[in-house]
Amino acid sequence: MWVYEKKLQYPVKVSTCNPTLAKYLIEQYGGADGELAAALRYMNQRYTIPPSVVGLLTDIATEELGHLEMIATMIYKLTKDATPEQMKAAGLGAHYVNHGEALFYQNAGGVPFTAQYIQAKGDPIADLYEDIAAEEKARATYQWIIDMSDDPDLNDSLRFLREREIIHSQRFREAVEVLKDERDRKKIF
C-alpha cells in the first residue's frame, strides 16, 4: 500500500511560458523511455522476478509515478499562459486542437503512448538489464532537454530527475548481481 503526500518529490519552478520546452518534456511524459513507461514496466515485472528484488521494483515504479507528476507539472506551467499561436509556433498546434490545454500521453513527436513501450521478458536478468537501459536512456534524454533549455529554474528540477535516473540504474545493477549470486548458489532460474 502507498501513502500519497500531496506534494511533489522535488519543487518545480519555471521562469516563463515556453511551449517549445514543454514539447520536449512531453517525451518524458508519454514517450518510450519516459516516466509512464518506466513505472508500468517495473510494476509489471514485479510478478515474474524473485522476491529479493520485488521491493526494489515497487519502490522505483512508485518513484517514477512521482516523476510523472513532476513532468506533468512542468508541462502545465510551461503552457498554462500560452496562446494558441504560441502553441502552434512550438509545434503543438495539433495537440492543442485535439486536447486543448490537457495533457495527453504522447512523445515529443506527437505519437500516442503505446503498451509496446513496456518491455517484460519474464527472465529476471534480462528484465533488469532492460531496466538499466531504460534508466540510462531517460538520463540521456533529461540531459538533452537540459541542453536545450535556457530556464535555470526548470533545469534545477530536470537535474534532480536526471540524477534519480542514475541512482535507479545503479540500484538495478546491484539487483542483477544479487540475482546472479542467487542463481549461482541455488540454481533458481
Side-chain angles (χ1 to χ4, degrees):
M1 183 52 64
W2 295 283
V3 176
Y4 175 68
E5 290 185 44
K6 294 183 180 186
K7 66 178 187 173
L8 296 176
Q9 185 180 9
Y10 191 86
V12 170
K13 298 176 186 167
V14 301
S15 299
T16 185
C17 176
N18 189 336
T20 300
L21 189 51
K23 180 179 179 177
Y24 303 149
L25 282 167
I26 288 172
E27 185 66 32
Q28 291 299 80
Y29 190 67
D33 302 314
E35 303 294 353
L36 177 63
L40 295 175
R41 178 185 302 116
Y42 308 151
M43 285 289 185
N44 188 54
Q45 289 174 353
R46 297 170 347 148
Y47 295 98
T48 56
I49 203 147
S52 57
V53 294
V54 168
L56 175 70
L57 284 170
T58 304
D59 290 348
I60 294 176
T62 304
E63 185 174 346
E64 300 291 9
L65 291 172
H67 295 175
L68 185 68
E69 184 179 30
M70 288 178 65
I71 293 295
T73 301
M74 291 175 192
I75 294 167
Y76 169 75
K77 287 183 174 188
L78 288 166
T79 60
K80 72 181 177 91
D81 296 323
T83 65
E85 292 79 21
Q86 288 174 307
M87 296 291 279
K88 182 178 177 183
L92 291 170
H95 175 92
Y96 183 78
V97 167
N98 285 317
H99 309 289
E101 295 176 359
L103 292 170
F104 182 74
Y105 292 109
Q106 63 189 40
N107 69 15
V111 177
F113 182 84
T114 175
Q116 291 175 331
Y117 295 161
I118 303 167
Q119 297 298 319
K121 188 68 176 170
D123 176 271
I125 302 294
D127 283 344
L128 286 170
Y129 277 121
E130 172 66 33
D131 300 344
I132 292 165
E135 294 295 329
E136 292 298 335
K137 290 185 277 186
R139 175 203 48 81
T141 302
Y142 279 122
Q143 183 59 55
W144 295 330
I145 293 170
I146 291 166
D147 293 345
M148 300 288 287
S149 170
D150 61 357
D151 187 325
D153 291 329
L154 184 66
N155 286 349
D156 179 57
S157 299
L158 293 172
R159 280 191 289 276
F160 169 81
L161 292 170
R162 180 193 63 200
E163 295 306 311
R164 293 307 301 160
E165 303 301 344
I166 293 168
I167 297 298
H168 296 167
S169 177
Q170 291 170 342
R171 297 295 83 84
F172 285 138
R173 290 172 199 273
E174 292 165 2
V176 166
E177 294 308 313
V178 166
L179 292 183
K180 284 181 177 179
D181 287 345
E182 287 179 7
R183 179 187 63 196
D184 293 345
R185 281 185 286 120
K186 300 177 187 175
K187 309 288 188 227
I188 59 172
F189 54 94

